[in-house]
């Protein structure tokens, strides 16, 4: 059962562009939605997270948009840089504390 | 900045052997987790641990798996009789409440 659907699988942008990654969920019990960044051979690093009572959250160049009625949330990377090239995972947590991850999006930022 | 550490970084074992993967969570955290990631796939939840007992486990976490917090700092995952399909990256994570921080992972290769 795929609880969190993530798209696209991969995307390529030019430096300064805004990659957008989308996630959708079905379980209305989810109450916390983090995004993780993963570089090859490394563990997932917590990037930014949002609760469902907020529609948008910004931290630096990263913005989460959250649409509770549509059960969708997205990550925008503003002014993307080659160093942002990584795999990004959305996730969702319910009150059992386990994270359900999306399939991941490989972002390539070309200089 | 506190971080989750894991040892070893790479473990090679033969099918049928027992392995123990070790983790040192962030010191004031209360919840501990193991996840795994098969190469190129998404991160999958295995087990969560709170107050010295398993609080949640996935279908993957069968009788071959066990977890233990033998002292105040370490958190271990034991696989009793490894199978080829256990080959994956194993990540330990910890949280105080919601925000889960991941370690760098142990790459387990079963031959």
């Amino acid at each position: 059962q795929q609880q969190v659907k993530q798209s696209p699988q991969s995307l390529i942008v030019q430096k300064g562009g805004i990659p957008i990654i989308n996630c959708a969920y079905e379980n209305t019990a989810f109450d916390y939605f983090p995004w993780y960044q993963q570089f090859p051979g490394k563990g997932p690093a917590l990037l930014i997270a949002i609760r469902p009572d907020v529609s948008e959250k910004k931290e630096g160049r990263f913005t989460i948009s959250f649409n509770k009625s549509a059960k969708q949330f997205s990550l925008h990377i503003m002014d993307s840089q080659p160093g942002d090239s990584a795999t990004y995972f959305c996730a969702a947590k319910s009150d059992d504390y386990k994270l359900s991850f999306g399939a991941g999006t490989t972002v390539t930022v070309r200089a | 900045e506190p971080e989750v550490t894991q040892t070893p970084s790479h473990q090679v074992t033969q099918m049928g052997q027992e392995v123990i993967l070790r983790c040192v969570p962030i010191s004031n955290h209360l919840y501990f987790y193991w996840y795994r990631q098969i190469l190129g796939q998404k991160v999958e939840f295995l087990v969560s641990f709170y107050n010295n007992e398993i609080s949640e486990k996935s279908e993957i976490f069968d009788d071959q798996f066990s977890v233990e917090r033998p002292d105040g700092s370490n958190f271990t995952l034991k696989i009793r009789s490894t199978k080829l399909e256990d080959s994956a990256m194993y990540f330990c994570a910890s949280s105080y409440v919601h925000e889960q921080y991941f370690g760098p992972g142990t790459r387990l290769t079963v031959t």
Side-chain angles (χ1 to χ4, degrees), chain B residues 20-72:
Chain B
I20 297 176
L21 310 183
R22 292 182 168 80
C23 167
V24 178
I26 295 172
S27 62
N28 67 334
H29 283 184
L30 304 175
Y31 298 85
F32 313 108
Y33 314 84
W34 285 99
Y35 292 82
R36 80 172 186 189
Q37 185 179 32
I38 295 171
L39 186 64
Q41 298 186 21
K42 69 178 180 180
V43 179
E44 299 175 290
F45 170 81
L46 291 178
V47 65
S48 59
F49 193 85
Y50 171 73
N51 202 24
N52 283 319
E53 61 182 25
I54 291 173
S55 50
E56 185 79 20
K57 61 182 180 179
S58 72
E59 295 173 352
I60 303 168
F61 195 88
D62 61 22
D63 292 343
Q64 295 299 313
F65 291 86
S66 63
V67 290
E68 193 177 35
R69 188 157 161 83
D71 53 42

Side-chain angles (χ1 to χ4, degrees), chain B:
Chain B
E1 185 173 318
E3 58 183 18
V4 177
T5 60
Q6 290 184 243
T7 55
S9 58
H10 191 190
Q11 174 91 46
V12 181
T13 189
Q14 290 190 327
M15 196 167 51
Q17 295 297 303
E18 174 183 286
V19 294
I20 297 176
L21 310 183
R22 292 182 168 80
C23 167
V24 178
I26 295 172
S27 62
N28 67 334
H29 283 184
L30 304 175
Y31 298 85
F32 313 108
Y33 314 84
W34 285 99
Y35 292 82
R36 80 172 186 189
Q37 185 179 32
I38 295 171
L39 186 64
Q41 298 186 21
K42 69 178 180 180
V43 179
E44 299 175 290
F45 170 81
L46 291 178
V47 65
S48 59
F49 193 85
Y50 171 73
N51 202 24
N52 283 319
E53 61 182 25
I54 291 173
S55 50
E56 185 79 20
K57 61 182 180 179
S58 72
E59 295 173 352
I60 303 168
F61 195 88
D62 61 22
D63 292 343
Q64 295 299 313
F65 291 86
S66 63
V67 290
E68 193 177 35
R69 188 157 161 83
D71 53 42
S73 60
N74 290 286
F75 181 50
T76 63
L77 174 69
K78 181 192 291 185
I79 309 175
R80 288 188 184 80
S81 178
T82 50
K83 307 182 185 75
L84 293 175
E85 54 265 36
D86 293 329
S87 294
M89 282 289 285
Y90 287 81
F91 294 107
C92 173
S94 69
S95 69
Y96 183 72
V97 184
H98 300 295
E99 296 180 340
Q100 294 187 24
Y101 295 90
F102 283 70
T106 293
R107 178 171 299 284
L108 177 65
T109 302
V110 182
T111 61

Side-chain angles (χ1 to χ4, degrees), chain A:
Chain A
Q1 181 186 5
Q2 187 179 5
Q3 295 208 54
V4 181
K5 295 182 180 180
Q6 183 173 347
S7 63
Q9 188 175 17
S10 63
L11 62 94
I12 301 171
V13 299
Q14 293 296 123
K15 179 182 174 183
I18 306 175
I20 301 173
I21 306 168
N22 300 299
C23 287
Y25 65 96
E26 296 177 358
N27 186 352
T28 55
F30 287 146
D31 60 4
Y32 172 77
F33 301 86
W35 285 88
Y36 285 85
Q37 179 190 56
Q38 186 179 34
F39 293 104
K42 304 294 184 183
L46 180 61
L47 200 57
I48 185 173
I50 198 167
R51 303 293 297 269
D53 52 349
V54 176
S55 61
E56 185 176 274
K57 184 175 180 180
K58 293 182 182 180
E59 284 187 8
R61 295 184 293 107
F62 299 93
T63 299
I64 300 178
S65 298
F66 190 87
N67 185 330
K68 186 174 180 179
S69 60
K71 293 187 283 186
Q72 295 175 347
F73 57 111
S74 60
L75 177 71
H76 296 60
I77 307 174
M78 305 302 183
D79 187 27
S80 60
Q81 303 296 313
D84 296 328
S85 298
T87 299
Y88 293 82
F89 292 93
C90 62
K93 183 197 74 64
S94 59
D95 58 6
D96 58 7
Y97 285 86
K98 70 178 184 184
L99 288 175
S100 297
F101 280 82
T105 297
T106 300
V107 173
T108 303
V109 182
R110 294 213 166 124

